[in-house]
Amino acid sequence: MDAIAVRQGKTRPELIDIERPEPDDGEVLVKTLRVGIDGTDFEVLSGSHGEFPEGSEYQILGHEAVGVVEAANGTALSEGEIVVPTVRRPKNTSSRFFENDEPDMAPPGEYVERGIAGAHGYMAEYFTTPASFLVSIPESLADVGFLVEPISNAEKALELAQRSRSTFEWQDSAGLVLGNGPLGLLTLAMLTDRCERTYCLGRRERPDPTIDIVDELGATYINSQQTAVDEIPAAHEPMDLVFEATGHAKHAFSTIEALDSNGVGVLLGIPEDWEFTVNGGALHRQLVLQNKALLGSVNSNVRHYNRARNTLAEYPDWFVSSIMTTRCSVSEFADAFEQSPESIKSYIEFSA
Amino acid sequence: MDAIAVRQGKTRPELIDIERPEPDDGEVLVKTLRVGIDGTDFEVLSGSHGEFPEGSEYQILGHEAVGVVEAANGTALSEGEIVVPTVRRPKNTSSRFFENDEPDMAPPGEYVERGIAGAHGYMAEYFTTPASFLVSIPESLADVGFLVEPISNAEKALELAQRSRSTFEWQDSAGLVLGNGPLGLLTLAMLTDRCERTYCLGRRERPDPTIDIVDELGATYINSQQTAVDEIPAAHEPMDLVFEATGHAKHAFSTIEALDSNGVGVLLGIPEDWEFTVNGGALHRQLVLQNKALLGSVNSNVRHYNRARNTLAEYPDWFVSSIMTTRCSVSEFADAFEQSPESIKSYIEFSA
């Protein structure tokens, strides 16, 4: 069958021919429909993030997938069900986090990540996985279901943020998303239902399709080349919730200054090492005197996938279709990895 | 009546003679028993923190008090009840935080703080306050009740920390307190009931009475001159909970490195401005990839005072008496503000 993979020592994806996998006991055979591409895929290609599966000279790419059950193999699923796979799998070790259905909280060393680190991804005509790592979605979401994975990461981050503010009557009136990539826009659309006023920071100038989406969502676009994150309270207003989806390390610190009293910043980006100067005294003091919080969040679990499915179903159609800009067939796979200002979310269609 | 105050332009406390206050409607007249001294009092004296009450050329000191109701004045309290006053009062403005009994979450500008910022404190033979800002404690705690206020700050910080980790099955097996002052030790004693293993970091060498208390609590003392905060995971173990009670700004950042996956650091110190270099990329990445959290916490509300009363009642007697090192009468007040390595907690006895 066709699969899209990166070989050891290479940084470009290739179309390879491999054997169709056979499901083990408890595993389901899934026929892949669509697989999305995000920033992590480019980090895997460049080698800056992730690792090859043990003993394999290639890694199948892709962690944002939707498929249809081809062989339920005695599990509770049924043939023809539309499913989305989660990303983390246990790594040769017992893990209380997997036993508790909280693989997203497992520490490094206890998991592999399909398509990212130590396990093959979903960019293949078929994949197998234990049924417990599949989330069913309605057939009406089959075309867009690969967005459940990125949305689930935002759901988890939002859950952490909300729970951290649950000791008092928190008002998240003003919400800011740092980053206007697909994850930033998917999160912004989620926040417009929660926050009275939403903002989205990006580096681009108008005209730009992502800024058009920010406008249409009723949010305020902030150009980071004109307004730095720590200038946002003066230029706009202090924020109750800041959602960082850029991986720009300085944003972790300027987020503290962008927050209103009792605000929470949740970080999702994964930066490289970078040394710089901060006014650590002022940041520490602001955190304390204004009860601010800064949380990191990675990955997501089935609970978040289920929420993400509901969130996805509630997004307006215009929004989802304006995000899904670039559909490529398997033979056009190389185009899906081309980045252009016009392209927001690229995805590869394995089966319609 | 006698009161201990600092005058405008001065940095030493003075004994002054002022009129005994009269309770307004809804206010209670409290006869002061004991008032503790902490680091904030020294910041008020030096002028680095707080402000004088509007129009007053002096400020009565003290925010850690215990007293006895002298005149209930038609409130639900009774004469003879032992009470502890909270610190924050509303500032000429309606505040939803005070209406919700959450003055600790009020932003700067919506409150004054008795004995600290904009309002007189409790170092006087009598004080008045609305009954809603008084927490009753059992008569058996009358001698030690001034410890309820500092403990309540730790209770609030712990509540924020726990709630921030309540989306998953958090195990707070290893707890670290940064600082071996009174707040640090009171918190450490609280954590020994929660955490399997506790640690306390200080700058002092043995022999030292605070290190003796750390030992007797069954905790491990860490000398910061030998082991920096970010070296603690390698030297001991990574921490599930770090409680910062030093005001040393670099600790806010090295706390992130001291945490285990899913750990939470809660900051209580209030540092001055201080610029320094951090590996912001590594800190940001650790927060994200290990789901770490960093929270600021200030002040406390009646809920935390009630918990603190229970915590105080459960502390072993040896612990509480070893903390309360320095009792001074009103005439000896100057001695209470002398700091020495032998003195842990000083307090002034207004009435026995």
Side-chain angles (χ1 to χ4, degrees):
Chain A
M1 67 175 185
D2 287 337
I4 297 161
V6 60
R7 293 187 190 275
Q8 297 256 20
K10 301 292 178 66
T11 59
R12 306 271 309 170
E14 295 175 39
L15 188 62
I16 64 173
D17 183 46
I18 56 171
E19 283 204 20
R20 181 169 140 170
E22 290 291 332
D24 282 340
D25 278 358
E27 285 194 332
V28 174
L29 178 69
V30 180
K31 183 179 182 184
T32 308
L33 295 173
R34 292 175 169 187
V35 183
I37 293 171
D38 81 352
T40 303
D41 295 304
F42 291 100
E43 291 166 16
V44 170
L45 283 169
S46 73
S48 70
H49 190 66
E51 54 183 299
F52 284 78
E54 213 178 306
S56 174
E57 66 90 32
Y58 64 86
Q59 169 156 35
I60 301 174
L61 295 166
H63 58 281
E64 300 179 352
V66 61
V68 56
V69 174
E70 176 87 4
N73 198 25
T75 67
L77 289 166
S78 309
E79 268 107 65
E81 257 186 279
I82 308 295
V83 289
V84 174
T86 64
V87 175
R88 287 194 175 175
R89 298 292 178 273
K91 183 178 182 175
N92 315 323
T93 172
S94 79
S95 165
R96 69 176 177 92
F97 295 98
F98 279 89
E99 287 158 18
N100 292 343
D101 297 324
E102 295 168 344
D104 55 312
M105 303 308 288
E110 292 192 8
Y111 58 83
V112 295
E113 291 184 329
R114 293 198 60 162
I116 303 173
H120 287 304
Y122 304 121
M123 283 193 186
E125 287 179 77
Y126 294 88
F127 63 87
T128 57
T129 192
S132 58
F133 294 121
L134 291 171
V135 175
S136 288
I137 65 170
E139 200 163 335
S140 58
L141 294 178
D143 283 352
V144 298
F146 65 89
L147 294 173
V148 167
E149 194 279 337
I151 298 169
S152 74
N153 286 291
E155 295 282 1
K156 173 186 168 175
L158 191 62
E159 178 185 76
L160 277 172
Q162 290 176 313
R163 202 68 78 83
S164 81
R165 309 288 80 189
S166 64
T167 60
F168 62 99
E169 289 196 30
W170 183 47
Q171 290 185 348
D172 52 346
S173 308
L176 166 65
V177 175
L178 304 178
N180 57 341
L183 179 59
L185 295 172
L186 290 167
T187 306
L188 186 67
M190 187 186 299
L191 294 189
T192 51
D193 268 359
R194 293 192 50 84
C195 303
E196 289 167 32
R197 298 171 304 282
T198 49
Y199 300 83
C200 184
L201 177 123
R203 277 184 301 188
R204 298 196 189 174
E205 306 277 354
R206 295 175 190 274
D208 177 87
T210 66
I211 304 176
D212 292 341
I213 294 173
V214 173
D215 289 346
E216 188 132 355
L217 285 170
T220 301
Y221 181 71
I222 301 173
N223 184 332
S224 64
Q225 298 177 68
Q226 284 153 21
T227 310
V229 174
D230 57 3
E231 297 169 343
I232 290 175
H236 298 278
E237 61 178 316
M239 298 293 156
D240 300 304
L241 174 64
V242 175
F243 191 103
E244 180 275 327
T246 62
H248 184 73
K250 287 193 174 176
H251 283 166
F253 303 90
S254 49
T255 284
I256 297 170
E257 299 184 81
L259 289 173
D260 202 356
S261 287
N262 308 334
V264 55
V266 60
L267 310 176
L268 280 88
I270 304 177
E272 303 282 302
D273 282 4
W274 184 15
E275 292 203 347
F276 48 81
T277 300
V278 294
N279 187 335
L283 293 175
H284 184 160
R285 190 173 65 244
Q286 277 187 39
L287 281 164
V288 173
L289 289 181
Q290 295 187 66
N291 292 295
K292 295 180 179 182
L294 194 64
L295 312 171
S297 180
V298 70
N299 197 253
S300 55
N301 65 41
V302 166
R303 181 171 77 242
H304 310 118
Y305 272 66
N306 283 323
R307 275 191 217 141
R309 175 190 56 199
N310 298 340
T311 296
L312 177 59
E314 286 163 18
Y315 281 151
D317 288 342
W318 71 262
F319 171 71
V320 177
S321 49
S322 66
I323 293 280
M324 292 170 50
T325 48
T326 315
R327 177 172 64 170
C328 298
S329 65
V330 174
S331 61
E332 298 165 328
F333 77 93
D335 296 342
F337 290 89
E338 292 300 322
Q339 291 173 294
S340 86
E342 298 309 311
S343 171
I344 299 174
K345 190 81 186 172
S346 300
Y347 57 100
I348 297 173
E349 187 165 82
F350 283 85
S351 178
Chain B
M1 67 173 186
D2 287 338
I4 297 161
V6 60
R7 293 187 191 276
Q8 297 256 19
K10 301 291 178 67
T11 59
R12 305 272 308 168
E14 295 175 38
L15 188 62
I16 64 172
D17 184 44
I18 56 170
E19 284 204 17
R20 180 168 139 169
E22 292 289 336
D24 282 339
D25 279 358
E27 285 195 334
V28 174
L29 179 69
V30 180
K31 183 179 180 183
T32 308
L33 295 173
R34 292 175 168 187
V35 183
I37 293 171
D38 80 355
T40 303
D41 295 304
F42 292 100
E43 291 167 13
V44 170
L45 284 168
S46 73
S48 71
H49 189 68
E51 54 183 300
F52 284 78
E54 212 178 307
S56 173
E57 67 90 30
Y58 64 87
Q59 170 157 34
I60 302 175
L61 295 166
H63 59 281
E64 300 179 352
V66 60
V68 56
V69 174
E70 176 86 5
N73 197 27
T75 66
L77 289 165
S78 308
E79 267 108 66
E81 258 186 277
I82 308 296
V83 288
V84 174
T86 64
V87 175
R88 287 194 174 174
R89 299 293 178 272
K91 182 177 183 176
N92 316 322
T93 170
S94 79
S95 166
R96 71 178 175 91
F97 294 98
F98 280 89
E99 288 158 18
N100 292 342
D101 297 323
E102 295 168 344
D104 55 311
M105 303 308 290
E110 292 191 9
Y111 60 82
V112 295
E113 291 185 328
R114 293 199 61 164
I116 303 172
H120 288 304
Y122 303 122
M123 283 192 187
E125 288 178 75
Y126 293 88
F127 63 85
T128 57
T129 192
S132 59
F133 294 120
L134 291 170
V135 174
S136 288
I137 66 170
E139 200 162 336
S140 57
L141 294 178
D143 283 350
V144 298
F146 65 89
L147 295 174
V148 167
E149 194 279 336
I151 297 169
S152 74
N153 286 291
E155 295 281 3
K156 173 184 167 175
L158 191 62
E159 179 185 76
L160 277 172
Q162 290 176 313
R163 202 68 77 85
S164 80
R165 308 288 81 187
S166 65
T167 59
F168 63 99
E169 288 195 33
W170 185 47
Q171 289 184 349
D172 51 346
S173 308
L176 166 66
V177 175
L178 304 179
N180 56 341
L183 179 59
L185 294 173
L186 290 166
T187 305
L188 186 67
M190 186 185 300
L191 294 189
T192 51
D193 268 359
R194 291 191 51 82
C195 302
E196 289 166 32
R197 299 171 303 281
T198 50
Y199 300 82
C200 184
L201 177 124
R203 275 183 303 187
R204 298 195 190 176
E205 305 279 354
R206 295 172 190 274
D208 178 86
T210 66
I211 304 177
D212 292 342
I213 293 173
V214 172
D215 289 345
E216 189 134 355
L217 285 171
T220 301
Y221 181 70
I222 301 172
N223 184 330
S224 63
Q225 298 177 66
Q226 284 153 19
T227 309
V229 174
D230 58 1
E231 296 168 345
I232 289 176
H236 298 276
E237 62 178 315
M239 298 292 156
D240 300 304
L241 174 64
V242 175
F243 191 102
E244 181 276 326
T246 62
H248 184 73
K250 287 191 175 178
H251 283 166
F253 302 90
S254 49
T255 284
I256 297 169
E257 299 183 82
L259 289 173
D260 201 355
S261 287
N262 308 335
V264 54
V266 59
L267 311 175
L268 280 87
I270 304 176
E272 304 282 301
D273 281 3
W274 185 16
E275 292 203 347
F276 48 81
T277 299
V278 294
N279 187 336
L283 294 174
H284 183 160
R285 191 175 62 244
Q286 277 187 39
L287 281 163
V288 173
L289 288 182
Q290 295 187 67
N291 292 294
K292 295 181 178 183
L294 194 64
L295 312 171
S297 179
V298 69
N299 197 254
S300 54
N301 65 41
V302 165
R303 181 171 76 242
H304 310 118
Y305 272 66
N306 283 323
R307 274 190 216 142
R309 174 190 57 199
N310 299 340
T311 296
L312 176 59
E314 286 163 18
Y315 281 150
D317 289 342
W318 72 263
F319 171 71
V320 176
S321 50
S322 66
I323 293 280
M324 292 171 49
T325 48
T326 316
R327 177 171 64 173
C328 299
S329 67
V330 174
S331 61
E332 297 164 329
F333 77 93
D335 296 342
F337 289 90
E338 293 300 322
Q339 292 173 292
S340 87
E342 298 310 311
S343 171
I344 298 175
K345 190 80 185 171
S346 300
Y347 56 100
I348 298 172
E349 187 164 82
F350 283 85
S351 178

